Amino acid sequence: MKFESNKIDSNKLNNDKLDKDKFDKNKFDKSDKLDAQIQAAMKTTLVPSPQLNQTLKAALYAKEAAMENEPAIYALSLWYLPMIFNFVLFSLLAAAARLMIQNIYLSYFAVGVCLYIGLAGGLLTFLWVKRANLKETATIHIEKRGAWI
């Protein structure tokens, strides 16, 4: 007898489903109304006069022509900085190795390795310039008014 009281009424389930459907339908109706309001707000009826439009276009074209004649950006290429940094770093390491290592043969070997790596870094930088277009990649563009881009 206890189990019979826990039975779910099928009519109640159907009514709940219908209420959900009504809620979802209202939801879509509201979004459709909102979309219609947004579309109506986006429509504009203000159109400038043809004379004003032509005047503004002429002024814009004149400014574009003036900007093309005078470059507004200065380009500073920094392709050589990795090579210089590498050579200075390994030259300092070579000097430190020469001063710190007591064994003369070992110190000269360390100096040779450091100088070799410094020169190899320069060679790699030149290869990078030729193969990977480093001159354009490592460039800072500066506006004439002093703003960095």
Side-chain angles (χ1 to χ4, degrees), residues 43-49:
K43 291 181 182 174
T44 180
T45 57
L46 300 175
V47 177
S49 67

Side-chain angles (χ1 to χ4, degrees), residues 3-143:
F3 294 109
E4 291 177 14
S5 63
N6 288 336
K7 279 189 174 179
I8 300 173
D9 189 16
S10 63
N11 289 334
K12 186 177 181 183
L13 278 178
N14 289 337
N15 288 339
D16 288 344
K17 285 182 182 178
L18 290 174
D19 289 341
K20 272 190 176 181
D21 291 339
K22 286 180 184 177
F23 176 73
D24 290 341
K25 186 177 179 184
N26 289 338
K27 181 180 169 184
F28 289 121
D29 287 343
K30 287 180 183 178
S31 68
D32 290 339
K33 288 178 185 177
L34 182 63
D35 287 340
Q37 288 175 349
I38 291 173
Q39 291 294 329
M42 289 176 59
K43 291 181 182 174
T44 180
T45 57
L46 300 175
V47 177
S49 67
Q51 186 180 12
L52 176 63
N53 200 13
Q54 289 176 354
T55 307
L56 290 174
K57 281 183 183 179
L60 179 65
Y61 292 146
K63 284 184 181 180
E64 285 179 357
M67 288 176 67
E68 287 177 4
N69 291 338
E70 186 178 323
I73 295 177
Y74 175 73
L76 178 65
S77 181
L78 303 174
W79 67 269
Y80 51 86
L81 286 182
M83 175 179 59
I84 291 173
F85 178 72
N86 184 42
F87 188 72
V88 167
L89 176 72
F90 281 102
S91 296
L92 290 174
L93 284 174
R98 178 67 183 102
L99 293 174
M100 299 289 196
I101 299 175
Q102 297 297 324
N103 187 348
I104 191 88
Y105 297 115
L106 192 57
S107 69
Y108 281 131
F109 178 73
V111 167
V113 168
C114 287
L115 291 178
Y116 176 75
I117 292 174
L119 292 175
L123 178 66
L124 286 174
T125 302
F126 281 119
L127 289 175
W128 193 10
V129 167
K130 292 289 184 186
R131 296 288 181 184
N133 204 9
L134 178 65
K135 285 188 179 181
E136 289 181 16
T137 305
T139 302
I140 294 177
H141 300 283
I142 305 168
E143 273 191 43

